[in-house]
């Protein structure tokens, strides 16, 4: 009969990270990814290599407020003790904020029902404290035009035209974009995007289209045309990674 210390359980954890200078979520050959840092710490805590599984990948330079991951491990103590062990040993830009035991069928990626991203914009030049976390557009934006463009993109559509080549192949490129809102006033703006899932670089492409609308480069009809075409076009700019933050994963 196995003792408690020998019983393997599934653990759900949440982490936050500043993506500046990090090669994204997924493990890299040079070991400079969030997954690599966490797995190295887990190896010290658990005494063996343990693979973690995230809710999804974030690109190099993208941040996260609440990235979710899970792993299986035999741990003789409670979740609080495991959480404390995982709150040290990381670079200052990575923090594990919570750990708890979950049912074995939970999967950080496949159990997710949706995600929320926030993208920060500055119509001028962001100060030194905000610059690593936003896109400094440097020109005034027509926020009303951006909001009209956002309304045209909300809903269930094939978003193939707003994804980037080189991403993971999927059976369908249809997504239900339940929220795409341009929030704020003055120089500082936020784009909030919420959907049942996102394609590769989809959020950054949507933001690029909204900014183009705000600069008068794309009309609502242009955006509708691009959306229905199903073809990626250079009319849509991919917004810089540093302005994007994974805000929440829904289960």
């Amino acid at each position: 009969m196995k003792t408690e210390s020998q019983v393997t359980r599934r653990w759900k954890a949440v982490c936050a990270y500043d993506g500046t200078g990090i090669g994204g979520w997924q493990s890299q050959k040079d070991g400079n990814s969030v997954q690599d840092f966490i797995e190295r710490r887990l190896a010290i805590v658990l005494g063996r290599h343990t693979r973690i599984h995230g809710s999804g990948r974030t690109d190099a330079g993208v941040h996260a407020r609440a990235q979710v991951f899970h792993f299986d491990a035999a741990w003789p103590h409670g979740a609080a003790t495991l959480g404390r062990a995982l709150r040290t040993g990381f670079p200052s830009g990575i923090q594990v904020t919570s750990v708890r035991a979950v049912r074995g069928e939970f999967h950080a990626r496949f159990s997710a029902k949706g995600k929320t991203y926030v993208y920060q914009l500055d119509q001028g030049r962001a100060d030194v404290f905000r610059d690593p976390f936003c896109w400094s557009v440097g020109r005034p934006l027509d926020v009303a035009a951006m909001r009209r463009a956002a309304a045209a993109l909300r809903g269930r559509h094939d978003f193939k035209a707003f994804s980037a080549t080189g991403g993971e192949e999927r059976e369908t490129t249809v997504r239900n974009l339940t929220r795409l809102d341009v929030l704020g006033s003055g120089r500082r703006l936020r784009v909030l995007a919420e959907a049942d899932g996102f394609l590769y670089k989809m959020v950054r492409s949507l933001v690029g289209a909204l900014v183009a609308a705000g600069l008068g480069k794309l009309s609502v009809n242009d955006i509708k045309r691009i959306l229905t075409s199903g073809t990626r076009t250079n009319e849509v700019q991919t917004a810089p990674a540093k302005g994007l933050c994974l805000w929440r994963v829904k289960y």
Side-chain angles (χ1 to χ4, degrees):
M1 185 174 181
K2 289 185 177 181
T3 64
E4 184 180 1
S5 63
Q6 296 172 315
V7 174
T8 298
R9 289 182 287 177
R10 179 151 295 186
W11 302 90
K12 174 187 175 184
V14 179
C15 66
Y17 48 88
D18 173 358
T20 307
I22 296 177
W25 167 265
Q26 188 177 17
S27 182
Q28 305 288 326
K29 289 182 179 180
D30 63 4
N32 186 38
S33 76
V34 180
Q35 181 178 359
D36 292 319
F37 284 116
I38 293 174
E39 288 184 354
R40 284 198 292 271
R41 179 60 187 168
L42 271 175
I44 294 172
V45 172
L46 301 174
R48 60 186 295 271
H49 175 73
T50 301
R51 177 64 68 187
I52 66 174
H53 304 272
S55 69
R57 304 171 185 176
T58 54
D59 293 334
V62 174
H63 317 288
R65 173 179 174 268
Q67 170 71 283
V68 178
F69 65 93
H70 81 262
F71 58 94
D72 296 331
W75 176 253
H77 312 293
T81 305
L82 181 55
R84 285 194 295 271
L86 290 178
R87 289 191 182 100
T88 60
F90 292 117
S92 60
I94 300 175
Q95 295 180 347
V96 174
T97 57
S98 69
V99 181
R100 67 183 178 93
V102 291
R103 298 171 68 91
E105 58 266 28
F106 173 83
H107 194 286
R109 177 184 173 192
F110 298 119
S111 299
K113 303 298 183 185
K115 292 180 180 178
T116 303
Y117 283 89
V118 171
Y119 195 100
Q120 296 194 79
L121 296 164
D122 195 302
Q123 297 186 64
R125 175 65 181 175
D127 64 46
V128 68
F129 299 105
R130 293 188 69 246
D131 187 68
F133 306 100
C134 76
W135 178 9
S136 294
V137 179
R139 294 172 57 187
L141 296 168
D142 184 338
V143 178
M146 294 174 69
R147 288 172 176 155
R148 290 193 295 270
L153 289 164
R154 286 195 290 267
R156 187 173 182 83
H157 306 288
D158 185 339
F159 284 98
K160 186 176 181 180
F162 290 90
S163 64
T165 58
E168 183 179 352
E169 293 183 2
R170 297 176 181 268
E171 293 181 1
T172 178
T173 50
V174 174
R175 295 290 182 272
N176 185 21
L177 185 62
T178 53
R179 288 191 68 182
L180 186 63
D181 299 323
V182 181
L183 308 172
S185 59
R187 283 178 43 181
R188 297 183 179 185
L189 301 174
R190 291 180 298 140
V191 177
L192 187 151
E194 187 173 284
D196 54 1
F198 290 93
L199 303 170
Y200 182 55
K201 295 188 178 179
M202 177 175 160
V203 180
R204 291 164 60 190
S205 298
L206 292 171
V207 172
L210 296 183
V211 169
L215 293 172
K217 296 179 178 180
L218 289 177
S219 67
V220 171
N221 286 336
D222 290 330
I223 288 174
K224 289 180 178 179
R225 168 180 52 80
I226 294 167
L227 178 64
T228 57
S229 74
T231 303
R232 180 76 184 191
T233 169
N234 58 13
E235 292 177 282
V236 176
Q237 178 183 0
T238 302
K242 66 177 185 175
L244 184 61
C245 182
L246 173 59
W247 202 253
R248 181 186 177 193
V249 183
K250 292 185 177 180
Y251 292 95

